[in-house]
Amino acid sequence: MELRELIPAMAGLMSITGYETYDAEKLTAMTQGFDEALTDAVGNRIFIRRCGRQNAPKILIDTHFDEIGLYVSDIREGGFLKVVPIGGLDGRTLPSADVKIYGKQVLEGVIASTPPHLKERDTKEEVSPAEELLIDTGYPTQELKELVRVGTPVGFAPRYQWLQNDRLIGKGLDNKACCAIAAHALREIPAQALAGDVYLVFAVHEETDPVGGTAVGGFAIEPDYAMVIDVNIAHAPGSKESQTVEMGKGPSLCRSAITDRALTKMTEALCAEKEIPWQRCVDATSTGTDTVALHLVGKGIPVVDVGLPLRAMHTYVEMLDMRDAEDLARLVQAFVCDKKIGEVFA
């Protein structure tokens, strides 16, 4: 499967935090080509490419596989569901959203919204948090109760569309687009070209836990060095340039107190050597990614933090640019094959 097909296919899987293994069989079919694949006790999926050499460095590529969503908190008369959010959801984006309810069978639903005709024109409208919204299913109440229970996960409908200039919109690109990019990049590399044994982790619980599943994966693998890949906020009208990166200009490399300076500089030099476009961003004390937990695992892991520019993050119309996706895939390949980095950090 080509990368432009793999990204929406993988992003379309259901992986709401706490339910990352829901579509495990479909994910397995999409991630063939590794030497070994396993699932640990917390649900992290780990894919291994071995270089075939004894005492080779261990290289970790970390991405998170979970996505934001909702859990059913109550079943109301008239076929309505109350929900609570899982992860950072913006109440402004939710009304009228198409959703899927993953009960005994998958149900369609829509988050109810008030028609403008019924709103007071002179009244300042306040944004309702997710807990105050209702999902309309159209089902009779008793039938709905037989299909859905409190705690049932709810996610955005997986619908994808290509816009001009090779830009893709849809749900779950944070962060399954990065999962797809890393998997696609790693399985194409000949074993003898690898600088060490490569461990690709699709981590769980990132959207709700600053430690998440990545710490568990890091402890088990004990890598010599790591690259954490997550989405980064792309510039859009109204956003501050200092807090965003540009779409179509390559992945970002973050300067932070928690990233390894030497590894980051070597990755920047690698981009220059391979003519891979890249952007610099800064977050003084926390990158907001798995790096927060991973760099403190065990005796400490040197980490470089890499971002894929993404607009409309944490909505059902997240947007990426395929040029950035392809450049990120090239960077992943170059990183795991660079023997100079392996010699420094092994």
Side-chain angles (χ1 to χ4, degrees):
M1 189 182 295
E2 295 298 321
L3 183 57
R4 64 180 293 113
E5 287 85 39
L6 182 61
I7 291 174
M10 194 172 289
L13 300 179
M14 195 289 248
S15 64
I16 296 164
T17 304
Y19 288 85
E20 292 92 340
T21 59
Y22 182 90
D23 275 333
E25 291 185 6
K26 293 179 181 178
L27 178 61
T28 297
M30 295 179 189
T31 49
Q32 299 298 311
F34 287 84
D35 299 310
E36 187 177 348
L38 55 94
T39 303
D40 67 16
V42 298
N44 294 320
R45 295 292 294 268
I46 303 171
F47 306 92
I48 306 171
R49 286 293 318 278
R50 301 196 183 279
C51 67
R53 301 187 300 277
Q54 293 293 323
N55 301 316
K58 289 183 179 181
I59 309 167
L60 172 59
I61 304 295
D62 174 276
T63 63
H64 75 84
F65 190 69
D66 63 317
E67 64 180 318
I68 58 171
L70 304 154
Y71 284 180
V72 173
S73 60
D74 194 14
I75 301 170
R76 299 290 180 87
E77 292 297 320
F80 291 96
L81 300 173
K82 291 281 288 183
V83 291
V84 293
I86 300 298
L89 280 167
D90 187 339
R92 295 172 298 177
T93 68
L94 297 179
S96 303
D98 293 335
V99 296
K100 288 188 177 291
I101 302 133
Y102 296 91
K104 290 184 179 179
Q105 64 188 56
V106 180
L107 311 181
E108 304 286 342
V110 63
I111 298 179
S113 63
T114 302
H117 315 72
L118 302 180
K119 296 178 180 178
E120 297 291 339
R121 293 186 179 182
D122 298 330
T123 302
K124 184 178 180 180
E125 186 174 357
E126 296 183 358
V127 176
S128 299
E131 293 90 338
E132 295 180 8
L133 299 175
L134 292 169
I135 295 176
D136 193 347
T137 68
Y139 275 80
T141 305
Q142 189 55 45
E143 186 176 353
L144 185 61
K145 288 182 177 180
E146 293 173 359
L147 298 172
V148 177
R149 297 178 183 274
V150 169
T152 294
V154 178
F156 294 130
R159 298 194 176 99
Y160 297 90
Q161 182 178 355
W162 289 96
L163 303 184
Q164 292 296 311
N165 297 313
D166 234 10
R167 291 185 172 181
L168 175 67
I169 59 171
K171 71 94 181 174
L173 299 177
D174 173 12
N175 187 39
K176 284 175 283 187
C178 294
C179 295
I181 291 165
H184 178 79
L186 292 175
R187 64 189 177 191
E188 292 187 340
I189 304 172
Q192 61 271 20
L194 295 170
D197 292 334
V198 182
Y199 296 78
L200 172 61
V201 175
F202 287 4
V204 299
H205 301 176
E206 191 272 348
E207 295 292 0
T208 57
D209 187 343
V211 175
T214 190
V216 174
F219 269 110
I221 296 165
E222 296 184 317
D224 294 290
Y225 57 100
M227 173 184 284
V228 168
I229 309 172
D230 205 336
V231 294
N232 198 352
I233 300 172
H235 184 69
S239 63
K240 295 181 180 179
E241 291 188 11
S242 62
Q243 298 176 342
T244 58
V245 293
E246 294 288 340
M247 295 188 72
K249 294 188 177 180
S252 63
L253 301 182
C254 185
R255 293 293 187 101
S256 173
I258 66 172
T259 56
D260 188 90
R261 286 183 292 174
L263 184 58
T264 300
K265 287 181 179 179
M266 292 187 77
T267 307
E268 292 172 355
L270 183 62
C271 287
E273 176 188 338
K274 300 296 184 181
E275 298 183 342
I276 300 171
W278 66 281
Q279 307 174 67
R280 179 174 292 168
C281 66
V282 63
D283 196 326
T285 59
S286 173
T287 63
T289 69
D290 278 344
T291 299
V292 175
L294 190 62
H295 83 291
L296 294 176
V297 164
K299 297 178 181 179
I301 299 172
V303 179
V304 59
D305 190 287
V306 179
L308 175 71
L310 191 78
R311 278 188 186 154
M313 195 182 298
H314 283 201
T315 73
Y316 46 88
V317 285
E318 295 175 332
M319 178 190 291
L320 62 76
D321 190 312
M322 274 303 297
R323 292 173 294 178
D324 296 326
E326 290 162 357
D327 288 334
L328 177 55
R330 291 172 56 208
L331 175 55
V332 171
Q333 290 179 332
F335 183 80
V336 300
C337 292
D338 193 280
K339 292 181 171 59
K340 297 189 295 293
I341 295 177
E343 291 170 358
V344 170
F345 288 96

